[in-house]
Amino acid sequence: MRKRRSSPTGADGLFAERVFAIVRQIPPGRVTTYGRIARAAGARRSARMVGWLLHHAPPDVAAVAHRVVNRHGDLTGGWAWGHPAVMRALLEHEGVTFVDEFRVDLARHLWDPQSDLDDDA
DNA sequence: AACATGACGGTAG
DNA sequence: TCTACCGCCATGT
C-alpha cells in the first residue's frame, strides 16, 4: 500500500507533476496558496513541499509561479524574481490588487484549484 | 547519522 | 493582529 518515497523530489514525480499541473491552471488575475495546491494535489508532503517544488519548477511553471502566495497573501517567494516588487508588478499587471505592500487581496483574487468551475465561466 | 534551514499552515496565547 | 510552537518533507552541511 501507499509506500511511495524512495525517490527524491517527490520524484515519484506524482506529487511534483500534480503541483506543476495545478499551477499551470491558475488563471491570470487570480492567486492561490501553497496550502490549497498541496491539498488539491493530495498533500502528503505538506504545503512546505509545494514551495520547495516551485523553487525547482520548470520554466513554464516558473512563468506563472507569481500567482502562488502564502496563506496570508504575502509574496513570500518574491525574492525568486530578484525582489518582491517584481512579483508584485507581474500580479498588478494581471489586475490583482494589494491590501499591503507585498500582500495581495486574497478575498478578492483567491482561486481554489478544486473550484475551477466558478469564476470566468 | 544528526542538526539546522526553508517560496508553509494551523493552533494557542 | 502579532508572536510563539509544532508538524511536514527534502536539502545542505
Side-chain angles (χ1 to χ4, degrees), chain A residues 75-91 98 101-102:
Chain A
L75 310 188
T76 52
W79 293 101
W81 282 267
H83 192 285
V86 178
M87 182 177 178
R88 191 180 77 179
L90 289 171
L91 290 168
F98 287 67
E101 190 71 358
F102 299 115

Side-chain angles (χ1 to χ4, degrees), chain A residues 1-7 12 14 44-45:
Chain A
M1 319 10 171
R2 34 215 119 103
K3 56 120 267 174
R4 29 194 57 76
R5 39 222 83 284
S6 301
S7 298
D12 338 72
L14 293 180
R44 297 167 183 294
R45 284 94 192 182

